[in-house]
Amino acid sequence: MKEINDFDKVYKYYDKFMAMFNLYKHEEVKAAANIDEHDVVVDIGGGTGRLAQYICNSCKRVYVLDESERMLSMVKQGENLMCIRGNALKTPFEDDSVDIVILSDVFHHIKEQKDLIVEINRILKYGGKIVLLDFHRKHIKTKLLRAFEFILFGGLFFRTKDEVGNLLEKYFYIEKVYEKGYYFIFVGEKR
């Protein structure tokens, strides 16, 4: 019997939910990443591939890495957009092989956040970038989102912007921090 992931249960409705509550921030993530046509990008927890689809014509290749087989079944793969079903803590990428790693609306779903940062650091090239978008733990909009997501997915691991920054700066030079009210975006460069 196949293992069913929590996101496998919601894959048909996921994009509609994200759009309805204006949770997709594709333009902002793309601008923060400053993607180049030669870049290899990994969208960790990229789900249905909406962000990857948005950026795929701006880079050499984008990989959507996700644990949910059903979410990945929604991705429109192409020559430079590929899916990989796998664990973000043990990615199949070689050391120092990726230019940009994106975590958009993913970090709070990962319990082993430090281990995730270490894995991202391993696969990024020297000078490669991490772009992390997540939600302020204490903001009212996040509290509402948290209640809804907790019903669907159980354990969540939201942090404040400062807590995320402290974790990232152990492995990355923090290039920019975008403060956006209920969410934030970090851009870090591998040291």
Side-chain angles (χ1 to χ4, degrees):
M1 187 171 151
K2 282 187 182 176
E3 178 184 330
I4 300 292
N5 174 295
D6 285 335
F7 282 91
D8 285 338
K9 299 172 189 171
V10 299
Y11 77 103
K12 288 183 182 177
Y13 314 103
Y14 186 78
D15 287 327
K16 290 176 187 167
F17 171 81
M18 294 294 287
M20 182 174 21
F21 291 99
N22 193 29
L23 296 173
Y24 279 134
K25 306 297 179 194
H26 298 152
E27 290 177 27
E28 293 170 64
V29 170
K30 182 179 178 184
N34 193 26
I35 298 167
D36 180 271
E37 65 184 283
H38 304 290
D39 287 336
V40 173
V41 180
V42 176
D43 182 7
I44 291 181
T48 62
R50 281 290 190 78
L51 175 60
Q53 190 74 44
Y54 186 77
I55 65 173
C56 71
N57 293 325
S58 302
C59 61
K60 180 178 178 181
R61 176 164 290 134
V62 60
Y63 294 95
V64 178
L65 177 78
D66 203 286
E67 290 185 338
S68 169
E69 186 175 346
R70 290 185 179 161
M71 291 286 273
L72 289 174
S73 74
M74 306 294 282
V75 177
K76 294 177 181 136
Q77 293 191 71
E79 188 176 314
N80 64 340
L81 195 166
M82 301 173 78
C83 295
I84 298 175
R85 183 171 182 232
N87 183 335
L89 303 176
K90 295 177 183 146
T91 71
F93 300 99
E94 299 288 325
D95 293 358
D96 308 309
S97 63
V98 174
D99 298 294
I100 301 171
V101 171
I102 297 174
L103 295 160
S104 182
D105 184 15
V106 173
F107 203 60
H108 63 271
H109 290 284
I110 308 292
K111 182 177 184 180
E112 304 88 354
Q113 293 174 341
K114 181 178 184 257
D115 294 340
L116 176 63
I117 297 302
V118 169
E119 177 64 4
I120 291 168
N121 189 60
R122 180 189 72 78
I123 68 173
L124 276 174
K125 295 176 181 176
Y126 177 76
K129 290 185 279 190
I130 181 173
V131 179
L132 187 153
L133 178 149
D134 213 58
F135 304 100
H136 282 291
R137 183 179 72 205
K138 296 178 180 179
H139 195 282
I140 186 67
K141 192 168 181 176
T142 303
K143 289 179 181 181
L144 294 170
L145 176 66
R146 184 180 193 165
F148 183 76
E149 284 192 348
F150 184 79
I151 292 166
L152 291 173
F153 309 122
L156 298 167
F157 310 95
F158 285 96
R159 291 179 178 257
T160 64
K161 177 181 64 104
D162 292 339
E163 290 169 337
V164 172
N166 289 337
L167 184 59
L168 288 175
E169 67 187 9
K170 292 175 184 167
Y171 300 91
F172 300 96
Y173 164 72
I174 304 300
E175 209 174 276
K176 291 186 181 172
V177 181
Y178 299 90
E179 177 66 53
K180 300 289 188 170
Y182 69 96
Y183 65 99
F184 51 84
I185 302 172
F186 276 91
V187 179
E189 184 178 308
K190 181 175 176 175
R191 297 175 192 225

